[in-house]
Amino acid sequence: MTARRPDPDALLQQAQAAEAQSRRGRLKIFFGAAPGVGKTFAMLTAGRTLAARGVDVVVGIVETHGRSETESLLLGLEILPRRASEYRGATLNELDVDAAIARKPDVLLVDELAHTNAPGSRHEKRWQDVRTLLEAGINVYSTLNVQHIESLNDVVAQVSGVRVQETVPDSVIEEADEVELVDLPPDALLERLRQGKVYVPEMAQRAIQSFFKKGNLSALRELALRRTAEWVDAQVDVLKREQGATHVWGASERVLVAIGPAPTSATLLRSAKRLSVALRADLIAIYIEAPSDARMSVSDRQRLLDHLRLAESLGAETLTIKAAPGRRVGDEIIDFARQRNVSKILVGKPSPRTPLERLRSSPVDRLIRTSGEIDIFVVRGEGDDNVANSTRLPLLASLQSQAGPAQYLRALAVVAAFHAVAYLFHHPPDLATEAMIALLGIVLAAAWCGRGPSLIAAVVSVAAFNYLFTEPRFTFRMHSLSDTVTVSVMFVVGLLVGSLTATIREQSIAARERERRTGALYAMTRELAAARNHDEILEVAGRHLRDTFRWGVAILLAEGGRLEAASGDPAALTLTEASMGVAKWCLDHTKACGRGTTILPSSGVLCLPLLGGSGKVGVLACDIGTDDPSPTAMRLLETFAQQAALALERAGLIEESEEARIRADAERLRNALLSSVSHDLRTPLAAIAGSASTLREAGAGLGDDTRRELLDSIVDEAERLNRLIANLLFATRLESGAVEPVREWCSIEELIGSALHRVRNRLDGRRVDTRIPDDLPLVRVDAAMIEQLLINLFENAARHTPPATSVGVAAWRADGHLIVGVEDEGPGLAPGEERTIFNRFVRGDRGSLSGSGLGLAICDGIVRAHAGRIWAENRHPRGAIFRFSLPIETQPDVPQPDEESLHGNP
């Protein structure tokens, strides 16, 4: 048997998993069938045992439910303080994850893995807290009941009549490093319940009459035992892979049946099902896809699909595996059986062999010789064809190839042409040249026409060589022993070379097909990764699915349990009401259905569920026509659907993240606004109220100058309050995008002059230096907004600089933009303020702390609304510079005055 080298991807994945596991804490789950079996008691006992050995054990959270024997086990163990939170007037105590990570014990005891945390906790569920602790490298001991496993939720509800609301994903128990079953017979548990060791007497009596019935407890116990056995079985497979074991470990029974398009596959499947039921073993149905299967006939493909559906209906796990180039199908079956720890294989009993087939050993004989410790069951099939596809001979497959009459005629033509050439080079008695030319014809016939025509070409070529070149010529007799040897060797070499050439051709075709599928999947994955929203993802996925499969495709998204046609793909398939019903069934049951499946096969569409990591995303509906898809096409379609589902889920998560960011920003804005109101609005209001109350209470006794000062104070503070409120409203409108610039052609020199005129009083006599060239181009801007931008910059300079300093303003042209800068001689910017100074409610750390922190934020919003940029930097030797840029557009045509108007003529 040809040895297969280890899969490098599998080795890399195993190494990465081992590295991640070395950094991750270990999880041990004390698993039980129902409350009261002693899970918490067993966990605390194990913790005390470890603590006695010197292990650092800390109790994270344990619910004793008032049981004295459980509470006694807490004595002597360090207990982590719980985190208290208020909810609806009650104080709830939860596990403090941050304190546990800071403490970082060797082992942390966390009870009730399925518990739902109080609102406002770090995570919604306690199992999420445990995952965080494991990622922090902390080993965790926890407890879990079987009714809390998500996949068993419906089963438990049917058994007990109670639907458990708190569940954990199956992956939690699957990822556990150790599961210890805490078992207690139903009678013993009921006795503990009556003694008040589980619940208080009143609750215990109600529990016995409802959930804690003996039949319920027995069924839950069986579920717990089976789930634990499944976990142990999965661990055996993991250990087998880690140790690199190639032989089968007989820890459990698994039955493997190899199926194909042959009619006997149905009989094999039923026999395998009976055997698996008798052994209480898992059943696996496998189809090994050989390179020659790419030319399978329509009837064979349909029969193969029927067999795969039959396997699914019998409850078997169905798999389709491509045979590696150069490997026999039987070797692939044995390799797969060893990987999956299969103990028994069922194959079909071959029919009587022809003399040609006896040249090679039987595939069944080869399976028996190479199976080692695996039992091989040979089952008699019923029907005309007793050779299962999974064990058919390559030579027989070549005779059953799908080559048509044209390929056979082409092969005969090639043989005739090369023999004509060989006849031109005929120089008896040496026939080596003629033999080489004839062999070349066989090779070319195999490369161009396939395996079947190459065999016919070999037979015809040898016969023609004998007739044309060996003595006596033009007869089929041979007198010379050397000629007989030459013809015999030529026939064998022709068969071998033709078969090998045909094999290479089939492998080349299969490789091109694999490359096409891989390229299509890569192209779609790359475009999906670049897509930014749902509409782009839907358009990309729909386009690639149509281009690859040539089918009509529609992607339906799940919205609140309903299916809605996606709007991102304009070429999406339009579904009828009946097809929508099939798609709804697919969504509800998360199974493929419709044409080409065993569920609703008469439907006009094939529906596949789109499942993401967090649940249902939608449904992929395909109009596949009248022919059912091949297993390879189905596998590729499922991969496409999975990639589309993950991309849609990623887009949804991005949207949720953006919404969360917007909500967080809104919350920060609200808090900052409240802070601004409490600090900035209170000061002018207090000044106005104080001046007004003074005027009211002592108005008659006040002098004219005092009265005027109080009135001026009221007016100034009212204007200050008005400006603050106006800035708040303007900043809010800018942030929401409600402000749309009204653009017109303006001169920046005029805008600067107008802004300086309006702030001349606030500059308080400071010298203003302007450096503005005369040849600056016009800019197309909103004049009022740019003027407000300049006013804010001038006011910022006046607020943060001493009165005796100067303010500079300059403008120039650079790289297609108009640059404007405002300079001051103040204390400058603190390190890092260059990036944050334009945020809302941010005041400079140096100089005056007056103002609301909105002026520069408004400047930033105005510049962004004009597709420009604003930035700040320190000035040497002192001061700060604020610059902004505006794009320069094509200048407008300014009409020139004609000669008559220049001379004053009408």
Side-chain angles (χ1 to χ4, degrees):
M1 180 174 67
T2 305
R4 169 182 282 185
R5 68 181 183 88
D7 185 359
D9 293 334
L11 292 177
L12 177 61
Q13 184 178 5
Q14 183 177 347
Q16 291 173 342
E19 182 181 359
Q21 185 65 28
S22 64
R23 297 192 299 265
R24 185 177 181 269
R26 294 178 62 82
L27 173 62
K28 179 175 181 178
I29 296 178
F30 292 84
F31 190 54
V37 297
K39 302 180 301 298
T40 303
F41 189 92
M43 180 182 70
L44 290 174
T45 301
R48 292 182 66 87
T49 302
L50 291 177
R53 299 174 184 170
V55 179
D56 184 16
V57 180
V58 173
V59 177
I61 189 167
V62 168
E63 304 293 345
T64 62
H65 300 289
R67 304 167 189 159
S68 58
E69 65 272 18
T70 304
E71 292 176 349
S72 64
L73 294 175
L74 292 172
L75 299 176
L77 293 176
E78 179 184 348
I79 300 177
L80 194 72
R82 300 188 182 187
R83 182 184 55 80
S85 61
E86 299 293 332
Y87 180 65
R88 295 182 178 179
T91 301
L92 303 178
N93 295 318
E94 298 291 353
L95 172 66
D96 194 336
V97 178
D98 296 323
I101 294 176
R103 173 65 175 78
K104 198 167 186 180
D106 292 335
V107 176
L108 187 71
L109 308 183
V110 181
D111 204 7
E112 296 185 0
L113 190 60
H115 172 76
T116 301
N117 293 327
S121 300
R122 181 170 181 174
H123 297 112
E124 180 184 0
K125 300 287 188 179
R126 185 168 291 170
W127 63 265
Q128 296 172 318
D129 294 338
V130 169
R131 276 190 171 173
T132 301
L133 295 170
L134 294 173
E135 291 170 359
I138 300 174
N139 301 316
V140 177
Y141 281 12
S142 190
T143 62
L144 182 67
N145 285 327
V146 68
Q147 65 264 31
H148 294 296
I149 297 179
E150 179 64 41
S151 64
L152 300 178
N153 191 257
D154 294 334
V155 179
V156 172
Q158 293 174 1
V159 169
S160 63
V162 178
R163 182 171 292 277
V164 179
Q165 300 301 322
E166 293 181 326
T167 60
V168 300
D170 289 56
S171 59
V172 174
I173 193 169
E174 290 168 359
E175 295 169 0
D177 299 279
E178 187 176 351
V179 175
E180 181 174 320
L181 179 65
V182 182
D183 187 33
L184 195 65
D187 291 334
L189 178 57
L190 290 173
E191 182 62 26
R192 283 177 51 84
L193 197 64
R194 295 187 187 96
Q195 295 174 359
K197 295 183 178 181
V198 180
Y199 299 125
V200 295
E202 296 80 8
M203 293 181 60
Q205 190 60 34
R206 290 197 300 268
I208 292 175
Q209 295 174 357
S210 57
F211 186 83
F212 283 81
K213 295 179 181 179
K214 185 173 181 180
N216 293 351
L217 296 178
S218 299
L220 292 175
R221 188 186 186 197
E222 182 180 0
L223 286 176
L225 292 169
R226 285 184 177 275
R227 192 65 185 85
T228 306
E230 291 174 3
W231 181 87
V232 173
D233 191 56
Q235 291 300 305
V236 169
D237 288 342
V238 172
L239 292 173
K240 187 171 179 287
R241 288 194 300 269
E242 290 178 352
Q243 297 180 16
T246 58
H247 60 281
V248 175
W249 291 1
S252 62
E253 296 285 358
R254 282 195 181 96
V255 177
L256 173 67
V257 55
I259 63 175
T264 50
S265 292
T267 304
L268 282 175
L269 282 168
R270 297 185 184 97
S271 300
K273 177 61 178 179
R274 292 193 295 271
L275 179 62
S276 66
V277 170
L279 297 175
R280 295 183 177 270
D282 295 333
L283 176 60
I284 304 174
I286 183 175
Y287 164 59
I288 304 297
E289 184 179 0
S292 59
D293 293 344
R295 295 173 295 153
M296 189 183 298
S297 66
V298 176
S299 59
D300 282 349
R301 182 178 291 112
Q302 183 59 49
R303 196 181 302 114
L304 173 62
L305 291 173
D306 292 340
H307 293 158
L308 291 173
R309 294 169 187 165
L310 176 60
E312 292 176 355
S313 66
L314 293 174
E317 177 187 357
T318 59
L319 295 168
T320 301
I321 298 178
K322 275 189 168 294
R327 285 179 58 83
R328 303 188 183 189
V329 173
D331 295 340
E332 294 286 353
I333 295 175
I334 293 298
D335 285 351
F336 177 82
R338 295 186 189 281
Q339 292 172 8
R340 294 295 299 270
N341 214 35
V342 170
S343 57
K344 293 172 174 53
I345 300 177
L346 268 74
V347 295
K349 182 179 181 180
S351 60
R353 306 172 67 195
T354 65
L356 185 61
E357 291 173 337
R358 292 195 181 96
L359 296 176
R360 301 182 63 178
S361 62
S362 166
V364 174
D365 294 338
R366 185 173 180 83
L367 275 175
I368 294 173
R369 287 198 308 271
T370 59
S371 59
E373 66 281 1
I374 304 174
D375 298 331
I376 305 295
F377 289 77
V378 182
V379 180
R380 181 182 63 84
E382 296 178 0
D384 297 332
D385 184 5
N386 288 326
V387 181
N389 178 69
S390 59
T391 58
R392 66 181 182 273
L393 285 169
L395 187 59
L396 183 60
S398 68
L399 297 177
Q400 297 172 345
S401 64
Q402 303 304 312
Q407 284 84 351
Y408 285 96
L409 292 176
R410 189 180 300 117
L412 295 176
V414 169
V415 169
F418 274 81
H419 275 77
V421 174
Y423 193 81
L424 297 177
F425 290 90
H426 178 54
H427 295 290
D430 185 11
L431 301 179
T433 303
E434 296 87 332
M436 292 299 102
I437 294 175
L439 284 176
L440 180 59
I442 298 174
V443 172
L444 293 180
W448 290 347
C449 308
R451 187 182 301 273
S454 71
L455 296 177
I456 299 300
V459 174
V460 173
S461 180
V462 169
F465 184 86
N466 180 22
Y467 185 80
L468 294 175
F469 302 119
T470 61
E471 296 294 340
R473 297 180 65 189
F474 307 114
T475 66
F476 291 104
R477 298 192 307 273
M478 288 179 286
H479 293 168
S480 172
L481 179 61
S482 62
D483 290 344
T484 304
V485 172
T486 299
V487 171
S488 301
V489 171
M490 180 180 170
F491 178 70
V492 174
V493 171
L495 287 178
L496 292 177
V497 172
S499 179
L500 292 175
T501 304
T503 300
I504 294 173
R505 178 175 181 269
E506 291 169 355
Q507 292 176 356
S508 175
I509 294 173
R512 285 197 298 270
E513 180 63 20
R514 286 195 299 270
E515 181 182 3
R516 185 189 68 82
R517 293 196 298 264
T518 303
L521 182 59
Y522 171 73
M524 189 185 80
T525 305
R526 182 180 58 186
E527 290 195 37
L528 287 178
R532 295 169 293 181
N533 52 50
H534 274 82
D535 288 345
E536 291 185 8
I537 290 173
L538 293 170
E539 189 277 329
V540 168
R543 172 164 46 82
H544 280 278
L545 284 166
R546 283 190 296 272
D547 293 345
T548 303
F549 297 98
R550 307 297 180 186
W551 296 336
V553 173
I555 298 178
L556 309 175
L557 299 182
E559 298 290 344
R562 297 179 294 103
L563 279 176
E564 295 184 0
S567 59
D569 185 7
L573 174 69
T574 302
L575 298 180
T576 63
E577 184 176 352
S579 298
M580 287 296 295
V582 176
K584 185 63 170 60
W585 192 98
C586 177
L587 178 69
D588 294 339
H589 297 81
T590 63
K591 292 182 179 180
C593 62
R595 182 175 293 278
T597 68
T598 58
I599 304 171
L600 303 174
S602 60
S603 171
V605 295
L606 167 65
C607 294
L608 275 73
L610 300 179
L611 302 178
S614 58
K616 306 171 186 176
V617 178
V619 171
L620 171 64
C622 304
D623 182 6
I624 63 176
T626 56
D627 294 334
D628 291 341
S630 65
T632 302
M634 280 294 296
R635 188 166 62 248
L636 181 62
L637 182 62
E638 291 171 355
T639 305
F640 271 62
Q642 181 67 21
Q643 293 299 318
L646 293 176
L648 289 170
E649 185 179 45
R650 171 178 56 81
L653 293 175
I654 291 175
E655 291 179 359
E656 292 177 3
S657 175
E658 183 65 19
E659 292 175 358
R661 186 191 65 79
I662 292 174
R663 288 194 298 268
D665 288 346
E667 183 67 19
R668 284 194 294 268
L669 176 60
R670 184 181 68 85
N671 295 335
L673 182 58
L674 292 175
S675 176
S676 177
V677 168
S678 63
H679 291 84
D680 297 313
L681 298 185
R682 186 180 300 171
T683 301
L685 286 174
I688 292 172
S691 299
S693 62
T694 301
L695 287 172
R696 184 184 63 183
E697 295 173 1
L702 295 175
D704 293 340
D705 293 340
T706 304
R707 186 189 301 272
R708 187 178 299 106
E709 289 179 1
L710 291 174
L711 291 173
D712 289 343
S713 175
I714 291 175
V715 171
D716 291 341
E717 294 300 330
E719 290 180 352
R720 176 183 174 187
L721 186 61
N722 182 57
R723 289 196 304 272
L724 177 60
I725 294 175
N727 282 339
L728 284 171
L729 293 175
F730 191 59
T732 304
R733 294 176 64 199
L734 276 176
E735 187 67 23
S736 64
V739 178
E740 185 68 26
V742 180
R743 300 174 184 268
E744 56 184 4
W745 291 101
C746 303
S747 168
I748 196 64
E749 184 177 8
E750 293 179 0
L751 295 176
I752 293 174
S754 177
L756 286 173
H757 178 73
R758 291 180 56 184
V759 298
R760 62 186 183 280
N761 294 331
R762 299 172 207 168
L763 290 176
D764 196 19
R766 290 176 176 81
R767 187 180 76 255
V768 178
D769 298 327
T770 59
R771 300 185 301 277
I772 303 175
D774 296 332
D775 58 347
L776 288 179
L778 300 178
V779 287
R780 189 167 172 267
V781 295
D782 187 313
M785 294 177 68
I786 298 301
E787 187 174 326
Q788 182 64 45
L789 162 65
L790 292 166
I791 290 173
N792 288 358
L793 292 178
F794 290 140
E795 287 183 344
N796 181 74
R799 186 180 299 114
H800 293 87
T801 59
T805 59
S806 64
V807 175
V809 57
W812 65 95
R813 180 175 184 170
D815 298 330
H817 287 77
L818 183 66
I819 313 296
V820 179
V822 177
E823 307 172 355
D824 62 51
E825 296 180 353
L829 302 172
E833 277 190 346
E834 298 89 344
R835 296 183 298 273
T836 62
I837 196 65
F838 295 101
N839 294 339
R840 288 170 297 180
F841 307 109
V842 174
R843 301 180 179 93
D845 292 339
R846 300 179 180 178
S848 173
L849 295 179
S850 62
S852 62
L854 284 173
L856 294 178
I858 291 175
C859 294
D860 179 61
I862 292 174
V863 171
R864 283 192 286 108
H866 286 81
R869 186 172 71 93
I870 188 169
W871 67 97
E873 57 189 36
N874 282 317
R875 179 188 180 194
H876 298 287
R878 63 192 304 268
I881 306 174
F882 291 85
R883 296 191 175 105
F884 65 89
S885 65
L886 298 172
I888 298 176
E889 301 181 17
T890 304
Q891 297 296 293
D893 294 330
V894 179
Q896 299 294 330
D898 54 23
E899 186 175 350
E900 292 183 353
S901 62
L902 289 174
H903 289 83
N905 295 329

